[in-house]
């Protein structure tokens, strides 16, 4: 089986040996009612209400959504409006912390007796994909198709980020137990854990842990970006191709991030919903690169202060990695469920573009062998038929094409604009 193409990156895993640590409790958290793909939640608390750790503060009857919980105890200061990265807005609950971290009495291990009660528990936990996609996990775990393999994405292929790695080396039993729980309640007969080769300690630990479970296989993957993309992971571990318009379940696979599956284990034991997460903080203006566990809604500025960031020198702040990360517009913005890193940089490359020289490096770098130059041409001509022929919907915005382009052209951005144009055109 051939491995899919990609690019070789300098991984800068500076924090791989930095054990996770708790962030000092912030004075204020700002918790948006949308940390998932789908409809925002409606707040179920009001100003001056007292809240406790693990208490539900937002919910909705919408199918593609999960409830929101508080990771702190304190008093609701205000219900405000938050502008999300997609430009839309949602309500936001601002909580002044009291320093007590009193746990809500509703927090208790769920009663799971079958698939239905398991899926109900996962929804109530507030779990979404912790690798960045924010897809509600209870929906992902309930496909109509027959699934025979659970694929665990432990590749962590973006530079700098090591939070998934720390999960694997600090609490591998949570990972293994989470895998077994999902397999048990969904009746999935086998699992594969895909880890890039540049994480030998994680590979060793999980291989040893899984030795008594022949139904679980640990697969060492080439250190090539983007190994963590669903289509790439599925092909490189199982040899299955997720075609245009298909979901992983169409190929008999469910993919879960390694931190997500570890959370499943913790939740079933404790009943504490998803109210905090580990993230990596790094970059050339960070004085104390680290992996830190923070409550949801913590302002970015608090995390940066803990990591001794020289904000005066920072020219770019990112949620996530340098390849697919999102710029942080305001250090008052909150940490969300899908955030696995905050990066801060002073040195950024000059990306002033020049004319395309038709060298073909973008095509060579693309894991799915798309043709970005032809996609760009069809987009300029507003030719939706040609965009369809060039499979523009397969683009996953990994950024390999932009990274490989010697002319520094915004190739990935053009692909996304073309994809949006095509999707709108076929809806008409």
């Amino acid at each position: 089986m051939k491995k899919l193409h990609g690019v070789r990156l300098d991984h800068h895993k500076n924090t791989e040996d930095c054990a996770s640590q708790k962030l000092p409790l912030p004075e204020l958290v700002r918790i948006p009612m949308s940390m998932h793909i789908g409809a925002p939640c409606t707040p179920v608390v009001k100003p001056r209400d007292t809240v406790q750790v693990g208490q539900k503060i937002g919910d909705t009857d919408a199918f593609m959504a999960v409830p929101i919980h508080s990771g702190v105890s304190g008093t609701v200061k205000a219900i405000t409006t938050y502008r999300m990265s997609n430009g839309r807005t949602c309500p936001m609950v601002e909580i002044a912390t009291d320093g007590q971290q009193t746990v809500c009495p509703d927090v208790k291990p769920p009663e799971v007796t079958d698939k239905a009660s398991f899926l109900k528990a996962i929804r109530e936990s507030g779990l979404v994909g912790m690798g960045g996609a924010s897809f509600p996990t209870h929906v992902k775990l309930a496909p109509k198709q027959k699934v025979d393999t659970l694929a665990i994405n432990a590749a962590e292929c973006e530079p700098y980020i090591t939070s998934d790695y720390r999960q694997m080396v600090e609490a591998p039993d949570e990972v293994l137990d989470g895998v077994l729980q999902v397999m048990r309640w969904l009746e999935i007969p086998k699992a594969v854990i895909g880890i890039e080769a540049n994480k030998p300690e994680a590979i060793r630990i999980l291989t040893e842990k899984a030795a008594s479970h022949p139904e679980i296989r640990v697969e060492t993957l080439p250190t090539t970006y983007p190994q963590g993309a669903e289509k790439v992971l599925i092909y490189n571990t199982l040899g299955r191709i997720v075609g245009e318009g298909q979901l992983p379940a169409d190929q008999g696979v469910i993919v879960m991030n390694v931190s997500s599956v570890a959370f499943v284990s913790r939740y079933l034991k404790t009943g504490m919903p998803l109210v905090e997460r580990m993230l990596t903080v790094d970059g050339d203006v960070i004085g104390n690169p680290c992996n830190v566990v923070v409550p949801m809604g913590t302002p970015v500025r608090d995390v940066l202060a803990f990591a001794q960031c020289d904000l005066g020198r920072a020219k770019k702040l990112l949620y996530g990695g340098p390849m697919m990360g999102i710029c942080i517009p305001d250090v008052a913005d909150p940490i969300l469920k899908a955030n696995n890193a905050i990066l801060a940089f002073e040195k950024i490359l000059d990306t002033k573009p020049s004319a395309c020289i038709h060298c073909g490096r973008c095509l060579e770098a693309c894991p799915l062998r798309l043709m970005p130059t032809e996609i760009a041409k069809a987009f300029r001509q507003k030719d939706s038929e040609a965009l369809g022929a060039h499979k523009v919907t397969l683009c996953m915005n990994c950024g390999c094409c932009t990274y490989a382009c010697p002319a520094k052209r915004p190739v990935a951005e053009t692909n996304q604009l073309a994809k949006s144009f095509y999707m709108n055109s076929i809806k008409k």
Side-chain angles (χ1 to χ4, degrees):
M1 181 176 72
K2 294 182 179 180
K3 300 296 181 182
L4 295 180
H5 285 238
V7 294
R8 298 278 182 176
L9 303 173
D10 293 328
H11 278 79
H12 301 291
K13 301 290 189 179
N14 308 314
T15 57
E16 64 180 358
D17 295 325
C18 297
S20 62
Q21 49 193 315
K22 285 266 191 179
L23 182 81
L25 195 65
E27 293 181 0
L28 177 76
V29 295
R30 305 167 69 238
I31 305 177
M33 293 293 98
S34 180
M35 289 191 258
H36 49 259
I37 293 173
C41 291
T42 299
V44 296
V45 292
K46 59 185 184 299
R48 295 185 294 278
D49 279 358
T50 298
V51 297
Q52 298 173 322
V53 179
Q55 179 178 333
K56 186 183 293 186
I57 60 173
D59 206 349
T60 175
D61 292 331
F63 172 69
M64 191 66 72
V66 296
I68 307 289
H69 305 81
S70 175
V72 300
S73 61
T75 303
V76 177
K77 182 179 179 181
I79 308 293
T80 57
T81 299
Y82 175 66
R83 186 170 295 279
M84 299 178 285
S85 60
N86 62 8
R88 298 176 182 172
T89 60
C90 71
M92 180 162 65
V93 177
E94 298 189 2
I95 303 172
T97 60
D98 61 13
Q100 301 301 309
Q101 288 302 85
T102 305
V103 176
C104 178
D106 293 337
V107 173
K108 52 187 177 182
E111 294 184 11
V112 176
T113 57
D114 55 15
K115 179 179 178 179
S117 58
F118 175 72
L119 293 174
K120 180 181 178 181
I122 295 301
R123 186 198 182 278
E124 285 301 306
S125 77
L127 179 60
V128 300
M130 295 175 70
S134 300
F135 195 90
T137 302
H138 72 285
V139 177
K140 175 182 281 192
L141 297 183
K144 297 178 181 178
Q145 306 90 328
K146 178 67 176 177
V147 170
D148 60 52
T149 305
L150 174 65
I152 302 302
N153 179 3
E156 198 165 48
C157 55
E158 277 264 18
Y160 293 95
I161 306 175
T162 62
S163 51
D164 280 349
Y165 174 76
R166 293 310 308 177
Q167 169 66 62
M168 290 186 280
V169 298
E170 291 182 20
D173 289 332
E174 290 180 349
V175 175
L176 189 65
D177 180 60
V179 171
L180 291 169
Q181 293 287 354
V182 175
M183 293 174 69
R184 174 189 177 187
W185 296 114
L186 300 189
E187 299 181 349
I188 301 175
K190 58 185 178 180
V192 57
I193 304 173
I195 311 175
E196 277 196 326
N198 63 350
K199 302 172 183 66
E201 185 66 5
I203 293 170
R204 181 189 66 79
I205 292 172
L206 286 177
T207 299
E208 290 178 358
K209 293 287 183 181
S212 58
H213 298 278
E215 69 275 25
I216 301 175
R217 172 170 58 92
V218 177
E219 177 79 14
T220 300
L221 301 171
T223 308
T224 307
Y225 176 85
Q227 283 293 348
E230 277 192 340
K231 289 182 173 66
V232 178
L233 181 80
I234 291 169
Y235 181 81
N236 286 350
T237 56
L238 301 170
R240 303 179 191 179
I241 297 174
V242 180
E244 186 179 21
Q246 286 190 324
L247 297 172
D250 292 316
Q251 293 298 324
V253 186
I254 288 176
V255 180
M256 291 186 71
N257 171 266
V258 68
S259 291
S260 297
V261 80
F263 168 78
V264 170
S265 173
R266 294 195 299 273
Y267 177 69
L268 293 180
K269 292 174 182 176
T270 68
M272 180 60 71
L274 185 55
V275 296
E276 65 179 16
R277 72 156 301 152
M278 189 196 311
L279 63 155
T280 300
V281 191
D282 203 352
D284 60 12
V285 294
I286 299 295
N288 175 37
C290 55
N291 288 296
V292 59
V293 178
V294 305
M296 301 302 172
T298 297
V300 167
R301 69 160 68 91
D302 289 46
V303 182
L304 292 176
F306 178 79
Q308 301 172 19
C309 174
D310 186 348
L311 268 176
R313 291 168 47 211
K315 294 181 180 177
K316 179 167 285 190
L317 301 176
L318 294 174
Y319 285 125
M323 295 298 287
M324 294 186 72
I326 299 173
C327 286
I328 302 173
D330 190 333
V331 292
D333 280 359
I335 300 301
L336 309 177
K337 292 179 181 180
N339 299 148
N340 54 6
I342 294 177
L343 304 182
F345 297 105
E346 177 183 27
K347 297 177 183 177
I348 53 177
L349 295 176
D350 177 15
T351 55
K352 185 177 180 180
S354 57
C356 174
I357 60 175
H358 298 281
C359 62
R361 292 183 188 177
C362 55
L363 186 152
E364 183 179 352
C366 179
L368 302 180
R369 278 300 198 229
L370 301 180
M371 301 176 68
T373 52
E374 294 302 310
I375 289 172
K377 178 181 176 181
F379 177 55
R380 288 194 302 270
Q381 296 174 347
K382 302 299 185 225
D383 187 343
S384 61
E385 184 176 342
L387 288 172
H390 290 303
K391 308 295 184 184
V392 68
T393 59
L394 283 175
C395 179
M396 53 193 173
N397 199 28
C398 65
C400 287
C401 49
T402 299
Y403 180 85
C405 179
K408 299 186 174 75
R409 298 187 66 78
V411 189
E413 292 90 335
T414 301
N415 285 352
Q416 291 309 295
L417 290 170
K419 184 176 179 179
S420 178
F421 169 78
Y422 174 75
M423 294 302 293
N424 288 331
S425 69
I426 62 176
K427 288 178 182 177
K428 295 179 181 178

